[in-house]
Amino acid sequence: MTLERPMNVQEVAIFLGLDPDEIGLISINGIQSELDDSVPPGCRLCFFPPMSGG
Amino acid sequence: MKLLRVDMGRLEVRWEPVSPVFEQLGGRALIAKLLLEEIPPTCDVLGPHNKLIFTPGLLAGGGVTTAGRLSVGGKSPLTGGVKEANGGGTAGDTLAKLGFKAIVVEGQAQRGEWYVLHVTGDSASLLPAGDLMGLGTYATSDRLQERYGADSTVISIGQAGEYLMYGASIAITGDRDQRSNHAARGGLGAVMGSKGLKAIVIDKPLGKSIPLADADLFRTASRTFAQKLINDPKLGTQGSQHLYGTASIVGAVNEIGALPTENFSRGSFEPATELRGEHLRELVLEREGKVGTRCMPGCVIACRNLYVDDDGKPIVGTLQYETIALMGANLGLNSLDDVARLNYMCNDFGLDTIETGAALGVALEAGLAKFGDTESIFALLKQVGEGTIIGRVLGNGVVTTGRVLGIRRIPAALGQAMPGYDPRSLKGNGVTYATSPQGADHTAGNAFGARKEVNPLGVQGQRELSLKLQIIAAMLDATGLCLFARPPVIADPQLMVDMINGIYGWGWTKEDLDRFNRQVLRTELEFNRRAGITAADYRIPEYMREEPLAPHNAIFDVPDSDLDSVFETL
């Protein structure tokens, strides 16, 4: 997707219609990230639901 | 409560009142104390002085959701130290309802003689098991349930335990479809085999319940606990754990580069999409299998599945993350059907899928077959059940396999295979593997998903995170609770205190509970110290400190000084 302006993860989530409170893990290019991290150009951004290892 | 001692040398059983030393202990806590008090720490793991303990947790039998896990313990063949492995099924609740603190199996039968222990509420007897020898755990439990009733609980070993393989597990039956639950880790199936004990059968405790010291307190706390689990976004009916099972994390672990791939040589597996929990759910529902099933009656999380083949025929009574990681990506296999069939074989032989998956990964690196070559991998695993030389090597776990085949890249700590999180990309788990008295065991303190706390790739804070998780894990394992029951008890430890006080009337405070949890670890560390285990034995293997792991080119670089000081504040 193309962003019209620089955004952080939370803004992208809202843009996609995701509730930030319902997001568990976030990764940017495979690095675990947080909602206030900025989203760099050309990156792979992944949202995962809340989860725990087992 | 009572304790049942089973002397396999004299073929005698005897009942004992519970000693005050053990009275306020259960599950993992009882195992640690009993081993420290009663066995020589340097004893031969497969000799007469080791003991095998079956014990429910402190909360078992009262209907607390997820609290019916059975703890099995002894000195571990793999680690040479204390071991507690737990499994679901009906054994934990059943023993608690019958008033058992524990069954302690001691001594050993004459070589070549095998027995079944049959336990009812007030009697126990050892019976010859000749007709069961050579059978896998499925056939063993089927035959014993035909004999003693379909509602009885069967605890058994398969061929791997009979062969005294260090990767052997102990199977526990459950309700209906959930035929196979395993206390899998540490090689305790070999200890059971060394005793000459093929199986334990426990009659259903009809009309029995545990006494409650304060029924109102207990019921209020246990209902609140269940409701909090149901409301948890991870665990409730719309949570990923319930919908997709433990396999829900395949995608995320792969994305952060921690999914063991082709003998821990990479941290991500290109076709991992085929192994994800979402795909598993689609397949199972399409084939009219089941999702959202339970390993213990009354569990509100219900994270299991009944995995079926194309014709709707059951393959395995649940396909879980660790098995998918170790027998899927780690072997270069991208088919859930293949992983499920390997899982079935391990369950039947009575093998830990983590230990065996890791051993197979090393065997593939040694060239015994190619990664992704399904038929060759099946042929290798089949040899474990047949007891061939190669099968015995694999069945004895990843360290033995690496040594025999001349492979230096052995993913193990304290002699036990690493589970499905490469410690180079999830360093909190690396700290747990490298310090837990249980060896490389994710259930001893799993840092995956610890968002906003510690960067999984960083060094900072891992020591403190691991200690915190290890203390919580000790509590869960001592009370019979499932690992997934963590969130409500972390958020509100008073709930746990109220449930314990509601059953026993001990008047514990949160501080007492915290002391209890920490004491479990202290006791275990002391046992291991007396067994001769040193800091060097716990370390992450050298190659993981030097060989960068793609895609992040991460190494395990938590300094030894951090590892050595994890328990300083215990």
Side-chain angles (χ1 to χ4, degrees):
Chain A
M1 62 182 285
T2 306
L3 302 179
E4 291 174 0
R5 59 177 177 83
M7 287 186 177
N8 66 21
V9 173
Q10 176 154 327
E11 290 170 319
V12 174
I14 292 167
F15 181 73
L16 291 171
L18 299 173
D19 179 348
D21 289 339
E22 292 183 359
I23 296 169
L25 285 178
I26 301 154
S27 69
I28 297 176
N29 292 331
I31 308 285
Q32 200 166 311
S33 306
E34 297 301 336
L35 287 167
D36 53 4
D37 288 339
S38 13
V39 178
C43 76
R44 175 181 168 93
L45 170 63
C46 296
F47 296 101
F48 296 96
M51 54 179 67
S52 58
Chain B
M1 298 191 88
K2 59 201 174 190
L3 194 140
L4 175 63
R5 301 244 182 211
V6 182
D7 185 332
M8 296 300 298
R10 297 176 181 202
L11 300 179
E12 289 174 359
V13 296
R14 70 177 193 276
W15 304 88
E16 278 181 9
V18 177
S19 145
V21 176
F22 303 133
E23 204 170 282
Q24 295 195 346
L25 304 174
R28 181 171 160 187
L30 178 69
I31 286 165
K33 186 69 173 170
L34 201 142
L35 291 178
L36 190 67
E37 294 280 322
E38 296 193 0
I39 79 163
T42 54
C43 71
D44 175 359
V45 290
L46 301 184
H49 303 298
N50 197 2
K51 296 189 180 184
L52 185 65
I53 304 152
F54 299 86
T55 168
L58 287 175
L59 294 178
V64 176
T65 185
T66 87
R69 295 183 75 78
L70 176 73
S71 285
V72 185
K75 179 175 172 178
S76 164
L78 287 172
T79 71
V82 63
K83 191 69 213 171
E84 185 267 355
N86 60 66
T90 46
D93 267 340
T94 297
L95 285 176
K97 284 178 182 167
L98 291 172
F100 281 76
K101 177 64 89 178
I103 298 174
V104 182
V105 183
E106 307 174 347
Q108 56 192 172
Q110 292 289 318
R111 193 178 165 87
E113 288 186 6
W114 291 89
Y115 295 89
V116 171
L117 174 69
H118 180 215
V119 180
T120 66
D122 46 18
S123 73
S125 50
L126 283 165
L127 306 161
D131 62 317
L132 301 170
M133 302 322 300
L135 295 182
T137 66
Y138 289 108
T140 299
S141 56
D142 284 351
R143 197 172 288 188
L144 288 170
Q145 285 183 327
E146 279 167 24
R147 200 175 297 165
Y148 294 101
D151 55 2
S152 58
T153 298
V154 178
I155 302 168
S156 67
I157 54 172
Q159 295 92 334
E162 291 182 28
Y163 293 140
L164 310 183
M165 290 173 174
Y166 279 26
S169 64
I170 295 175
I172 309 157
T173 57
D175 262 359
R176 293 183 288 274
D177 299 328
Q178 305 303 325
R179 297 165 62 206
S180 194
N181 308 274
H182 286 253
R185 307 240 56 206
L188 294 172
V191 179
M192 191 160 163
S194 76
K195 303 291 177 201
L197 187 62
K198 174 69 175 172
I200 300 173
V201 184
I202 313 165
D203 286 359
K204 185 168 184 171
L206 291 169
K208 303 255 187 187
S209 58
I210 62 165
L212 298 174
D214 184 338
D216 287 343
L217 179 68
F218 173 75
R219 291 202 179 104
T220 303
S222 58
R223 277 186 201 134
T224 307
F225 173 65
Q227 195 56 51
K228 281 180 187 265
L229 286 175
I230 291 167
N231 294 344
D232 188 280
K234 293 192 275 276
L235 309 170
T237 51
Q238 293 308 307
S240 60
Q241 204 78 24
H242 174 73
L243 294 172
Y244 309 114
T246 58
S248 63
I249 66 173
V250 170
V253 179
N254 188 58
E255 193 64 29
I256 66 167
L259 183 68
T261 300
E262 299 190 354
N263 191 29
F264 288 72
S265 60
R266 300 193 306 283
S268 62
F269 184 51
E270 208 169 303
T273 307
E274 299 298 310
L275 299 175
R276 290 179 62 158
E278 294 86 338
H279 182 54
L280 187 154
R281 180 182 169 88
E282 278 170 16
L283 270 182
V284 169
L285 291 178
E286 190 181 291
R287 295 169 172 183
E288 300 185 352
K290 292 179 186 172
V291 293
T293 58
R294 297 166 173 81
C295 75
M296 292 176 283
C299 172
V300 296
I301 302 171
C303 68
R304 285 176 59 128
N305 54 71
L306 180 65
Y307 193 89
V308 296
D309 66 13
D310 267 339
D311 300 322
K313 190 178 162 215
I315 301 177
V316 72
T318 192
L319 193 50
Q320 302 269 15
Y321 170 73
E322 300 300 334
T323 305
I324 291 170
L326 271 297
M327 305 200 98
N330 192 50
L331 305 183
L333 296 176
N334 62 358
S335 157
L336 287 173
D337 284 355
D338 290 341
V339 178
R341 290 192 176 96
L342 291 169
N343 194 163
Y344 173 86
M345 290 167 74
C346 284
N347 286 357
D348 199 35
F349 298 153
L351 281 170
D352 176 11
T353 58
I354 295 174
E355 194 67 44
T356 311
L360 284 165
V362 165
L364 300 191
E365 178 162 326
L368 265 60
K370 290 198 168 87
F371 288 104
D373 179 351
T374 310
E375 293 314 313
S376 301
I377 294 168
F378 272 91
L380 281 173
L381 182 57
K382 189 163 168 260
Q383 292 193 56
V384 180
E386 293 167 348
T388 66
I389 297 297
I390 284 294
R392 285 173 190 259
V393 170
L394 293 167
N396 272 291
V398 69
V399 171
T400 297
T401 302
R403 283 182 186 149
V404 171
L405 300 177
I407 296 297
R408 180 176 161 262
R409 301 179 68 264
I410 300 173
L414 199 59
Q416 184 172 255
M418 289 180 184
Y421 313 85
D422 195 302
R424 288 167 284 188
S425 285
L426 191 60
K427 291 178 188 171
N429 276 26
V431 174
T432 298
Y433 300 164
T435 60
S436 166
Q438 300 286 336
D441 187 337
H442 63 295
T443 67
N446 193 346
F448 175 74
R451 187 182 154 199
K452 289 185 178 168
E453 290 193 56
V454 176
N455 170 11
L457 289 165
V459 168
Q460 195 71 28
Q462 304 291 4
R463 177 179 61 167
E464 294 77 10
L465 175 63
S466 175
L467 176 61
K468 180 179 137 188
L469 294 167
Q470 289 195 54
I471 292 169
I472 295 163
M475 171 180 67
L476 298 170
D477 294 341
T479 50
L481 282 171
C482 168
L483 178 64
F484 301 127
R486 265 190 326 195
V489 287
I490 292 175
D492 184 4
Q494 187 62 43
L495 264 183
M496 179 70 92
V497 172
D498 287 348
M499 288 192 285
I500 291 171
N501 287 339
I503 297 175
Y504 301 102
W506 291 336
W508 278 15
T509 62
K510 282 190 283 190
E511 290 70 30
D512 292 328
L513 177 65
D514 185 53
R515 270 193 292 275
F516 169 87
N517 302 335
R518 290 168 187 266
Q519 188 57 41
V520 176
L521 289 165
R522 285 193 200 105
T523 308
E524 292 178 340
L525 289 164
E526 179 58 16
F527 180 88
N528 283 8
R529 189 189 68 76
R530 293 187 196 176
I533 295 172
T534 67
D537 298 310
Y538 286 99
R539 295 281 190 255
I540 296 296
E542 191 175 280
Y543 82 91
M544 288 186 167
R545 290 188 168 276
E546 295 169 349
E547 181 185 296
L549 181 75
H552 301 309
N553 293 324
I555 58 169
F556 186 75
D557 52 359
V558 178
D560 287 351
S561 56
D562 277 16
L563 302 177
D564 291 340
S565 58
V566 162
F567 296 116
E568 263 177 10
T569 55
L570 183 62

